[in-house]
Amino acid sequence: MKIKLYPEKCIACGLCQTISDVFDYDDDGIVLFADHHQETTIELANRNDALLAAKSCPTKAISAD
Ligand code: SF4
């Protein structure tokens, strides 16, 4: 699956990292990938937790397909 972040849409609500450790936050609470801080798109083996985090984001700052 491909996961893409849209940091400009993130409102730093803190939800996604509580659902999946794929996600982390920068010093301002804006989403980034825990293991790939510089990337906004990564390929991942199917992970239901990451998919759920994407679906749960209130501002659609994470896409997964
Ligand atoms: S759930 Fe969405 S808005 Fe909230 S911190 Fe994660 S990416 Fe940002």
Side-chain angles (χ1 to χ4, degrees), residues 46-62:
N46 280 358
R47 289 266 306 255
N48 285 341
D49 59 335
L51 192 55
L52 180 60
K55 288 182 174 172
S56 301
C57 174
T59 61
K60 310 237 182 295
I62 304 169

Side-chain angles (χ1 to χ4, degrees), residues 5-7 9-19 23-25 29-32 53-54 56-62:
L5 302 180
Y6 302 87
K9 293 184 179 178
C10 177
I11 56 170
C13 74
L15 180 62
C16 51
Q17 201 268 334
T18 69
I19 299 172
F23 306 102
D24 199 356
Y25 310 114
I30 300 300
V31 67
L32 44 71
S56 301
C57 174
T59 61
K60 310 237 182 295
I62 304 169

